[in-house]
């Protein structure tokens, strides 16, 4: 069936390449996003950490290349061949070493282009035209239009795009839901334990809107403490007194790349500590090796903290995690909270709060690789506010409900991701045909 579909170059298919402006504008605190290579993430554009440029520079930098919906952003350097599609109503300027691919619709349905440039044939063409450099591999603008790919008929392209985009849309909905749930948990922590909204409302004789049984757990006044004004009768304690275990990751000599296996006990590294905890993209150790490193074993409910390298990263292994145990890497340490003293989720959210981050990084050494001096001692000595058990128990239940929904959405997305990535090469090549009728 695939043989009935012609192979033709991008140029023959009506796909134009639009190069970037080979300059870099000055960054500003506010303004329009300026997309660089790091903003290309798993087929989509993530502008959350993009630089900003002035409106004047935005106009100047989009004269030559102004992205429109269904364009594909292509990286020519560092990670040549990586692409991300442009969604509707997204305005940004294109950074250096990026180009736009734009289908005119004559032979390639514009929403299908994003899928055409992600299949096996695409990567075969990348390998064919790649220029291997001493520092960076790269693609030449003149070569990309020569890429030859199998191009289905337009009606098949529309059908394929509908199927794959439906899966991708659901993955995106799950991602946004996870972000919303995370924002809700952080907002609740700030309201109860930073701004003390229920206490202030009660002190003013106002109803906070909380259930009466919960509202009654909060005091009606603040008192002075070493941390500033805090709710009356709440304590200030050392983090060590809330902990069952604080342990370091193994020495570098105890865990090497030779120890990694295809499947087994996952190793938690810095990349797994973004957005709370990323329960994916692991390297693995054998069960026997993990047993040897038992002091560095982490379990569901444990908190993992980076003490060397990208400081400030804090993740919490979900109670419904994918694996029964993990091993933290040599740049991480773990904290097991005593649930009879404090809420694990409360301690986790505190360590991610501005006050917690300040306390965590107070003993940072900048000599060589950034690191926390005397990591376990410093962690145990952190002073934090400890609310009464009744309030902490409620917070733990509510926060864990948010987490459970996040984990369920992430699990569904992994399934959809696998299905999409399995279908993609088969649909684009014609090995599986969709009844376009």
């Amino acid at each position: 069936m695939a043989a009935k579909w012609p192979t033709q170059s991008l140029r023959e298919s009506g796909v134009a390449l639009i190069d970037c402006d080979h300059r870099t504008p000055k960054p500003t605190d506010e303004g329009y996003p300026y997309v660089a290579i790091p903003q290309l993430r798993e087929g989509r554009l993530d502008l959350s950490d993009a630089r900003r440029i002035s409106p004047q520079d935005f106009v100047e930098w989009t004269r030559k290349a102004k992205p429109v919906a269904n364009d594909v952003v292509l990286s020519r350097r560092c990670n040549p061949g990586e692409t991300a599609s442009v969604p509707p109503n997204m305005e940004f300027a294109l950074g250096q070493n990026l180009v736009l691919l734009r289908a005119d619709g004559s032979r390639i349905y514009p929403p299908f282009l994003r899928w055409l440039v992600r299949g096996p044939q695409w990567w075969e063409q990348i390998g064919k035209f790649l220029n291997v450099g001493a520092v960076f591999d790269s693609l030449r603008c003149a070569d990309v239009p020569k890429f030859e790919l199998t191009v289905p008929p337009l009606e098949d392209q529309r059908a394929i795009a509908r199927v794959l985009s439906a899966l991708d849309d659901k993955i995106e909905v799950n991602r946004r839901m996870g972000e919303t749930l995370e924002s809700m948990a952080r907002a609740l922590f700030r309201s109860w334990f930073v701004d003390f909204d229920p206490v202030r409302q009660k002190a003013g004789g106002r109803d906070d809107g909380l259930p009466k049984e919960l509202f009654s757990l909060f005091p009606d006044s603040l008192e002075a403490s070493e941390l500033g004004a805090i709710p009356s009768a709440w304590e200030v304690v050392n983090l060590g007194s809330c902990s069952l275990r604080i342990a370091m990751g193994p020495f570098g000599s105890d865990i090497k790349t030779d120890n990694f296996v295809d499947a087994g006990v996952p190793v938690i590294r810095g990349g797994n500590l973004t957005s709370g905890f990323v329960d994916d993209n692991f390297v693995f150790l054998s069960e026997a090796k993990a047993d040897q490193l038992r002091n560095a074993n982490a379990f569901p409910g444990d908190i993992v903290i980076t003490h060397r390298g990208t400081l400030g990263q804090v993740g919490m292994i979900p109670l419904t995690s994918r694996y029964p145990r993990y091993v933290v890497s040599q740049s991480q340490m773990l904290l097991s909270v005593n649930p009879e003293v404090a809420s694990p989720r409360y301690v986790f959210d505190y360590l991610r709060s501005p006050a917690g981050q300040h306390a965590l990084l107070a003993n940072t050494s900048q000599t060589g690789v950034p690191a926390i001096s005397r990591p376990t001692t410093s962690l145990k000595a952190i002073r934090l506010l400890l609310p009464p058990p009744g309030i902490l128990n409620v917070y733990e239940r509510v926060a864990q409900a948010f987490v459970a929904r996040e984990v369920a959405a992430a699990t569904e997305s992994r399934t959809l991701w696998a299905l999409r990535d399995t279908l993609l090469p088969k649909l684009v090549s014609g090995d599986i045909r969709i009844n376009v009728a």
Side-chain angles (χ1 to χ4, degrees):
M1 288 184 289
K4 296 181 181 179
W5 290 351
T7 297
Q8 53 196 37
S9 69
L10 289 176
R11 181 181 288 110
E12 293 170 334
S13 302
V15 176
L17 183 146
I18 305 170
D19 198 4
C20 65
D21 197 317
H22 293 271
R23 301 174 294 160
T24 301
K26 293 181 179 179
T28 58
D29 293 334
E30 296 180 349
Y32 288 89
Y34 177 77
V35 167
I37 292 172
Q39 277 71 60
L40 276 65
R41 295 173 181 167
E42 299 169 346
R44 67 182 186 89
L45 292 170
D46 183 351
L47 306 186
S48 59
D49 58 352
R51 290 174 50 196
R52 298 283 161 169
I53 62 174
S54 69
Q56 295 81 5
D57 280 342
F58 174 75
V59 171
E60 181 68 21
W61 260 258
T62 54
R63 291 187 195 280
K64 181 179 179 182
K66 187 169 186 179
V68 299
N70 298 314
D71 280 356
V72 168
V73 180
L74 166 64
S75 173
R76 294 195 305 106
R77 196 179 181 198
C78 297
N79 53 353
E82 288 295 328
T83 58
S85 62
V86 178
N89 305 315
M90 179 181 280
E91 290 190 306
F92 63 91
L94 199 65
Q96 291 201 55
N97 299 309
L98 299 176
V99 298
L100 295 175
L101 299 179
R102 180 175 298 165
D104 63 11
S106 61
R107 297 191 179 185
I108 292 181
Y109 177 52
F112 175 73
L113 181 60
R114 63 181 293 197
W115 305 112
L116 186 65
V117 299
R118 291 179 65 178
Q121 286 188 343
W122 171 257
W123 290 106
E124 289 173 4
Q125 294 297 297
I126 295 296
K128 177 180 177 180
F129 287 98
L130 190 66
N131 295 294
V132 179
V135 180
F136 295 109
D137 296 342
S138 62
L139 295 169
R140 294 194 312 126
C141 288
D143 288 335
V144 175
K146 302 175 185 176
F147 284 18
E148 294 187 334
L149 304 166
T150 297
V151 179
L154 284 170
E155 60 269 24
D156 290 274
Q157 294 179 34
R158 294 188 182 95
I160 293 169
R162 279 197 300 270
V163 170
L164 295 177
S165 296
L167 294 173
D168 216 46
D169 288 347
K170 177 56 178 170
I171 293 171
E172 178 64 12
V173 167
N174 285 346
R175 185 189 68 81
R176 290 182 180 179
M177 184 174 70
E179 289 182 347
T180 300
L181 291 167
E182 182 65 28
S183 296
M184 291 169 63
R186 291 195 181 215
L188 180 63
F189 178 88
R190 180 175 182 85
S191 175
W192 285 13
F193 307 121
V194 178
D195 296 333
F196 310 126
D197 289 334
V199 179
R200 297 181 188 279
Q201 294 285 351
K202 201 170 187 178
R206 298 184 296 274
D207 185 354
D208 186 75
L210 295 173
K212 289 183 179 180
E213 320 84 69
L214 176 57
F215 195 47
S216 67
L217 298 176
F218 288 89
D220 59 3
S221 63
L222 300 173
E223 63 185 25
S225 80
E226 63 186 90
L227 299 181
I230 64 172
S232 299
W234 289 19
E235 297 181 81
V236 176
V237 301
N238 288 336
L239 182 54
S241 67
C242 305
S243 308
L244 289 172
R245 182 169 70 114
I246 294 177
M248 299 284 288
F251 291 110
S253 59
D254 290 332
I255 182 170
K256 302 177 182 178
T257 55
D258 292 345
N259 300 134
F260 297 150
V261 294
D262 293 335
V265 180
V267 178
I268 297 174
R269 299 173 292 173
N272 301 110
L273 302 183
T274 59
S275 304
F277 186 73
V278 179
D279 207 359
D280 206 353
N281 298 321
F282 295 106
V283 295
F284 296 91
L285 299 174
S286 68
E287 296 286 345
K289 185 63 178 178
D291 288 341
Q292 291 178 12
L293 302 174
R294 58 185 175 275
N295 288 337
N297 281 197
F299 301 91
D302 283 352
I303 297 168
V304 184
I305 303 161
T306 298
H307 66 81
R308 183 173 66 94
T310 307
L311 302 182
Q313 290 184 312
V314 182
M316 184 174 186
I317 304 173
L319 296 177
T320 54
S321 60
R322 297 176 65 194
Y323 301 91
R325 67 166 171 165
Y326 301 75
V327 172
V328 299
S329 77
Q330 56 264 49
S331 296
Q332 325 302 329
M333 57 181 169
L334 64 92
L335 163 66
S336 296
V337 176
N338 185 346
E340 295 183 2
V341 177
S343 153
R345 178 71 195 200
Y346 170 78
V347 173
F348 167 63
D349 285 330
Y350 167 74
L351 291 173
R352 292 199 304 169
S353 71
Q357 287 282 291
H358 177 76
L360 190 62
L361 304 179
N363 294 315
T364 299
S365 168
Q366 295 295 340
T367 303
V369 177
I372 297 174
S373 302
R374 298 178 295 117
T376 58
T377 302
S378 297
L379 190 63
K380 290 176 183 178
I382 288 176
R383 300 286 280 171
L384 78 159
L385 179 65
L386 187 64
I391 295 174
L392 287 178
N393 290 339
V394 173
Y395 181 75
E396 180 76 15
R397 290 198 300 271
V398 174
Q400 288 298 347
F402 289 149
V403 173
R405 293 180 64 185
E406 284 185 66
V407 171
T411 300
E412 181 184 52
S413 290
R414 278 194 295 269
T415 302
L416 295 173
W417 205 311
L419 176 60
R420 184 199 64 190
D421 290 351
T422 299
L423 287 175
L424 172 60
K426 297 181 180 297
L427 289 173
V428 172
S429 67
D431 289 344
I432 295 179
R433 299 290 290 271
I434 298 174
N435 186 344
V436 296

